């Protein structure tokens, strides 16, 4: 981890090298035995109630999941050009068989997080009034998601990535669409994962990457032939903490 002059600001871990294969990193722990999410909180009304009346809970802090704790710290970093404000939409798709999470596979040539699985979203534009606007605009641009079909429920805590983005995860219920129009430059594919799978801690893996610069701990949630890890898995892990019993 890079050392800062202020210990409260030690939030950036070592960046991954080009060609880094997260799936090849050994599994250090599987979160079997942790509290489960009650079935009622995997339903639209239950999730709404959690955002309307949230319990006392704490976001999980790992080397890949950096919660921005103090507003003055993030302001200083932003002024120094060390971070970029961004927002993503965590789309909970209303399906007859239960809620699913809509995810994208990024194209391989992008500068940041190339080829990784992510939520639709991106950096905030100056004209965006708030993170909701950013998340909805980016979702329209990236996958053609109709904003009129999104009911925003609330936000998860800001998430500071090792690539220098301070991301606001915006959670919303989404009406399913017959098709999605992908931005071919940014998005290679779009797919869904059942919410109950992602909220089951037995599917949450902890992996630890060791390098000559130190170690880095991150979450992964493999699903079929998809490897969900890093910031995306970290945000899902915080949604789990909000919803769990």
């Amino acid at each position: 981890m890079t050392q800062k002059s202020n210990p409260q600001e030690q939030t950036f871990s070592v960046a991954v090298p080009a060609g880094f294969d997260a799936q090849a990193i050994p599994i250090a722990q599987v979160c079997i035995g942790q509290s489960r999410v009650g079935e009622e909180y995997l339903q639209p009304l239950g999730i709404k109630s959690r955002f309307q009346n949230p319990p006392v809970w704490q976001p999980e802090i790992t080397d890949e999941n950096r919660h921005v704790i103090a507003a003055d710290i993030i302001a200083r970093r932003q002024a120094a050009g060390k971070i970029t404000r961004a927002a993503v939409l965590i789309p909970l798709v209303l399906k007859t068989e239960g809620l699913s999470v809509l995810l994208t596979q990024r194209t391989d040539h992008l500068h940041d997080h190339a080829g990784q699985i992510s939520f639709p979203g991106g950096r905030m534009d100056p004209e965006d009034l708030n993170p909701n606007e950013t998340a909805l605009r980016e979702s329209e641009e990236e996958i053609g998601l109709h904003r009129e079909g999104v009911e925003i429920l609330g936000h998860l805590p800001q998430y500071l990535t090792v690539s220098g983005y301070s991301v606001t995860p915006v959670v919303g219920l989404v009406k399913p669409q017959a098709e999605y129009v992908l931005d071919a430059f940014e998005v290679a594919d779009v797919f869904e994962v059942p919410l109950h799978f992602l909220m089951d801690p037995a599917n949450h893996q902890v992996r630890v990457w060791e390098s000559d610069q130190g170690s880095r701990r991150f979450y992964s949630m493999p699903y079929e032939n998809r490897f969900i890890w890093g910031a995306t898995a970290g945000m899902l892990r915080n949604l789990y903490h909000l919803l769990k019993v």
Side-chain angles (χ1 to χ4, degrees), residues 9 45 47 53 74 98 122 129 143 153 158 181 189 200 209:
E9 297 192 28
L45 289 179
I47 295 176
N53 299 288
I74 187 172
L129 299 177
I143 62 173
L153 303 181
Q158 285 178 295
V181 180
D189 196 11
D200 185 345
W209 169 48

Side-chain angles (χ1 to χ4, degrees), residues 12-123:
F12 287 100
S13 64
V14 289
V16 297
F20 178 75
D21 183 2
Q23 198 164 358
I25 303 302
I27 300 170
Q29 177 189 355
V30 178
C31 302
I32 296 173
Q34 295 186 358
S35 299
R36 298 178 64 87
V37 175
E39 184 61 33
E40 67 271 29
Y41 295 114
L42 295 174
Q43 308 300 324
L45 289 179
I47 295 176
K48 282 185 183 182
S49 70
R50 272 292 156 104
F51 277 97
Q52 291 169 353
N53 299 288
V56 176
W57 71 287
Q58 292 294 325
E60 188 169 354
I61 309 300
T62 71
D63 294 335
E64 183 60 36
N65 173 10
R66 294 302 177 183
H67 171 51
V68 181
I69 298 172
D72 62 329
I73 292 177
I74 187 172
R76 287 200 300 273
R77 290 197 183 122
Q78 190 169 356
K82 295 181 180 178
I83 61 170
T84 301
R85 293 183 66 196
V88 297
L89 180 66
I90 300 182
L92 306 180
V93 184
L94 297 157
K95 308 293 286 287
T96 55
E97 62 271 26
L99 291 171
S100 65
V101 179
L102 186 67
L103 293 160
T104 71
Q105 182 94 39
R106 292 167 64 82
T107 51
D108 291 331
H109 61 262
L110 295 176
H111 181 267
D112 292 321
H113 308 289
Q116 292 185 21
I117 290 171
S118 67
F119 299 111
R123 68 181 62 201

